[in-house]
Amino acid sequence: TPEALARLCTACARLKIHEVRLFEVVMAHVTAHWYDYPAAALAEIGSATAPTLPCGPEQVHGAYERMLHLICADRDLLTLRSVGFAVRFLAVAEGKKYKFPASHTLALAKRLVELRDDTREHYDISRVIEVFARRCPDRTELFSTLCRHVHRHLGVFEPVDFVRFARGLSLVQYRDDRVAHALDKWARKRSAEFSAFDWEALLTHMAALGDGGKRRSQQLRKSGLGRSLPLSPTSVLQDTTNK
């Protein structure tokens, strides 16, 4: 079934099993029997295959374009998880040579806002806010929705997710001090999980989240939590010379 194929593709992608031949067969079947595939399955398949299959060939891009058109046409059937897959698919499949219509981005943004009151489902919110921040940074209601949803994800975030969410939010004008507070609280709890580079990136992006974010970023720097970035060879040389 389409749902089974979607789960298989997702499992391969998560396990870093780059089964190009499998993905090609699945994409060929989607192209030939697109009418059998619900929007959610198309979004999940696209999210899994696009990072591996080349987007340059016209035939592949044509298949991706049809899939995204079908996904957006049936966006009312998408859950938050499906929207997350679709947004990631859109971002990965669009290359320098081919650009998708802005209407695709706006359709997915609209669907996410419609699901504002969904308080349970988890999705790839850190990747979603990064994509939307670069494509439609003026959508206040959209970023308000994402800030509302992020609180239930913080307990399961990986360090890179903290960085991505803070970076995405720093790219837009919308601000929510409750998010800055929550990022601060969870960063303190889980500081040992961060590499030095991720910790520095998180503090840098938090500092761009308004006065509250800047204050909390400074407090985290002074707290002694997290790992410090290694000194560059130039810095080490200068320190040695000064001594």
Side-chain angles (χ1 to χ4, degrees):
T1 64
E3 291 79 8
L5 284 176
R7 289 194 296 271
L8 176 61
C9 290
T10 296
C12 288
R14 286 179 177 171
L15 294 171
K16 308 296 183 184
I17 301 173
H18 303 297
E19 279 288 347
V20 176
R21 181 56 184 155
L22 169 64
F23 291 166
E24 288 176 342
V25 170
V26 171
M27 287 299 299
H29 192 269
V30 170
T31 302
H33 304 281
W34 55 266
Y35 43 82
D36 288 332
Y37 284 78
L42 290 174
E44 188 168 356
I45 289 171
S47 174
T49 60
T52 299
L53 295 181
C55 302
E58 189 172 345
Q59 185 177 3
V60 175
H61 180 80
Y64 287 161
E65 193 167 27
R66 172 179 280 276
M67 289 169 68
L68 283 165
H69 174 76
L70 294 170
I71 290 167
C72 293
D74 289 337
R75 65 181 180 272
D76 292 346
L77 302 177
L78 297 176
T79 64
L80 284 172
R81 184 168 178 267
S82 301
V83 171
F85 283 133
V87 170
R88 184 168 184 263
F89 175 30
L90 173 65
V92 175
E94 186 174 78
K96 294 180 180 179
K97 184 177 180 181
Y98 299 105
K99 296 294 181 183
F100 295 116
S103 58
H104 289 347
T105 301
L106 297 179
L108 295 174
K110 181 179 179 181
R111 179 55 180 163
L112 196 148
V113 171
E114 290 170 354
L115 296 169
R116 177 182 178 85
D117 294 327
D118 185 322
T119 59
R120 295 187 176 183
E121 191 169 29
H122 287 75
Y123 60 106
D124 193 358
I125 190 171
S126 58
R127 183 67 64 88
V128 167
I129 194 171
E130 270 201 311
V131 174
F132 280 138
R134 291 184 170 89
R135 293 170 178 266
C136 49
D138 58 338
R139 297 276 165 169
T140 300
E141 191 175 7
L142 169 64
F143 294 102
S144 172
T145 299
L146 289 166
C147 287
R148 181 178 183 177
H149 288 173
V150 73
H151 296 278
R152 66 175 181 265
H153 292 81
L154 294 173
V156 295
F157 262 11
E158 297 290 334
V160 68
D161 295 316
F162 284 96
V163 175
R164 282 176 175 162
F165 193 90
R167 179 167 56 219
L169 192 57
S170 72
L171 296 175
V172 302
Q173 293 297 317
Y174 180 81
R175 293 290 178 262
D176 185 336
D177 196 51
R178 292 167 297 182
V179 171
H181 172 74
L183 289 173
D184 177 17
K185 182 181 75 173
W186 281 97
R188 289 176 183 274
K189 285 183 179 181
R190 302 177 58 188
S191 59
E193 301 174 30
F194 284 77
S195 70
F197 294 98
D198 284 341
W199 185 254
E200 178 63 26
L202 175 63
L203 299 189
T204 299
H205 296 310
M206 279 183 62
L209 301 182
D211 293 337
K214 185 176 181 179
R215 182 178 67 255
R216 291 184 172 90
S217 174
Q218 291 171 343
Q219 291 171 350
L220 281 172
R221 286 191 186 279
K222 295 176 182 178
S223 69
L225 297 171
R227 297 180 177 90
S228 300
L229 283 172
L231 292 174
S232 67
T234 302
S235 300
V236 174
L237 182 60
Q238 288 175 345
D239 290 342
T240 304
T241 302
N242 292 333
K243 290 178 181 179

